[in-house]
Amino acid sequence: MPQDHFRDAAPYSLLGGSGAGGRGVSRDSFSDMGSMGSNFYDLLRSKCPHLLPDFSGVVAEGGVLSEKIPRGTTILALKYKDGVIMAGDRMATEGYQVSHRHIEKIYRTDDFSAIAISGAAGPSIEMARLFQTEMEHYEKVEGEGLSLEGKANKLAQMIRQNLSAAIQGLVVIPIFAGYEEQKGEGRIFKYDLTGGRYEESEYHATGSGGKDARNTIKKLYRKDMERSEGVRVVLEALLDAAEEDVGTAGPDPVKGIYPSMKTITRERIKDVPEEEIKSIYEALIERRRSG
């Protein structure tokens, strides 16, 4: 299943009227959107339910989930002096096979927040993109954005809506993080498959290699780390996870594939340059090689 399938399936990409197998949106469908308030998910559910993610077709006869479902693996978030670092490896798996080697797992929500995805890749990417649109819609209707806590609560509601699919195996377990301008600090939120929302004060990692990544961070983490130290700790955690977990990809210098990483601070969201990630990985590997 090509990665383009997931990108093209984003709900907001269908609003032009040509997606979803020709079941586009007529101009009249949103003519009374003002009466629906600022909840974009409820708007779709009421006016255009065919645009909501529907993965019922991936369940095989007899209710057995198909093994051909790409799954995203390890993601993490870590607080440092100026905000939050979010990162994820680039591999998705189908059972014991590699599905994709350069999938994106960190998605910008707005200028000061992002969502990292793990679990069934299709539903996870759909949810991330629908969440992006939900935030944009809210801001346009209300004239201002939700608070960081409000965004975290909204994501919890969306995860709860996915519970029936999760029971069938299409689990979506994201991490949401952002910079709280009023408090001047980064915040990290984790979730369970029922939509339970919990805030972490320092760091969190999930996915197949999440436990291994957390064990590494636990040993190296300290409060008020500088950015450079935080990036190094994150990359070392992902490297350890790749060594212990078959579903987590390590760096691939031959193909030039490295983890994706973003920082979220008062200076907004920024990508950590690939050259910086490559340089730190080379230093980490050389240190382990030399003992």
Side-chain angles (χ1 to χ4, degrees):
M1 191 178 294
Q3 187 172 354
D4 287 347
H5 166 80
F6 302 131
R7 183 178 65 245
D8 295 340
Y12 63 78
S13 70
L14 306 180
L15 299 184
S18 60
R23 298 171 300 166
V25 182
S26 68
R27 186 182 301 272
D28 293 337
S29 296
F30 291 97
S31 60
D32 61 342
M33 63 185 296
S35 64
M36 297 297 296
S38 54
N39 191 316
F40 185 74
Y41 188 91
D42 284 350
L43 175 63
L44 283 184
R45 186 168 55 183
S46 172
K47 297 294 183 181
C48 307
H50 63 277
L51 294 185
L52 288 172
D54 180 10
F55 292 91
S56 58
V58 302
V59 180
E61 292 183 9
V64 179
L65 184 68
S66 169
E67 294 182 357
K68 298 297 183 180
I69 305 298
R71 297 182 181 277
T73 50
T74 309
I75 55 172
L76 59 84
L78 176 149
K79 290 176 66 172
Y80 72 109
K81 181 179 179 181
D82 298 323
V84 178
I85 299 171
M86 299 188 79
D89 76 311
R90 303 298 299 275
M91 188 164 74
T93 60
E94 291 179 7
Y96 293 104
Q97 293 185 330
V98 174
S99 172
H100 302 293
R101 297 186 184 275
H102 44 78
I103 189 172
E104 180 59 50
K105 299 179 183 177
I106 314 297
Y107 290 84
R108 173 189 177 279
T109 302
D110 56 25
D111 287 342
F112 295 98
S113 63
I115 177 175
I117 59 168
S118 69
S124 295
I125 294 172
E126 288 273 15
M127 185 174 294
R129 294 192 181 279
L130 182 56
F131 185 52
Q132 289 173 325
T133 308
E134 176 79 38
M135 296 302 100
E136 292 171 5
H137 176 75
Y138 182 93
E139 186 169 356
K140 288 176 181 177
V141 172
E142 298 294 336
E144 61 180 359
L146 276 169
S147 66
L148 193 64
E149 187 129 359
K151 295 170 192 173
N153 290 338
K154 176 59 67 176
L155 182 56
Q157 293 173 8
M158 295 175 70
I159 295 170
R160 196 172 301 120
Q161 293 287 340
N162 187 62
L163 183 58
S164 60
I167 292 172
Q168 298 180 79
L170 297 177
V171 177
V172 175
I173 302 292
I175 297 175
F176 176 68
Y179 185 79
E180 183 73 74
E181 295 181 88
Q182 290 77 11
K183 295 184 176 181
E185 65 176 8
R187 298 178 70 183
I188 299 169
F189 299 90
K190 67 178 183 180
Y191 301 85
D192 61 35
L193 61 83
T194 67
R197 191 216 77 178
Y198 317 91
E199 183 169 2
E200 288 288 345
S201 61
E202 297 176 336
Y203 59 85
H204 183 59
T206 191
S208 62
K211 180 179 178 181
D212 301 304
R214 290 196 303 272
N215 287 340
T216 296
I217 298 174
K218 184 187 298 184
K219 298 174 185 176
L220 302 175
Y221 184 83
R222 65 181 183 82
K223 294 191 175 186
D224 296 326
M225 288 189 295
E226 296 292 338
R227 176 188 175 280
S228 58
E229 186 178 1
V231 170
R232 183 185 61 78
V233 169
V234 165
L235 292 179
E236 188 150 2
L238 287 174
L239 187 60
D240 285 346
E243 290 181 351
E244 299 296 330
D245 173 51
V246 296
T248 303
D252 189 341
V254 176
K255 296 182 179 178
I257 301 174
Y258 297 92
S260 56
M261 186 180 304
K262 299 182 188 296
T263 59
I264 313 172
T265 67
R266 67 172 67 252
E267 302 299 324
R268 303 177 184 241
I269 261 191
K270 293 182 180 178
D271 291 317
V272 176
E274 187 174 281
E275 282 303 312
E276 180 181 356
I277 294 173
K278 178 182 177 181
S279 176
I280 294 174
Y281 259 134
E282 289 174 347
L284 287 173
I285 292 171
E286 181 59 33
R287 189 184 71 188
R288 295 188 181 194
R289 204 177 272 149
S290 61

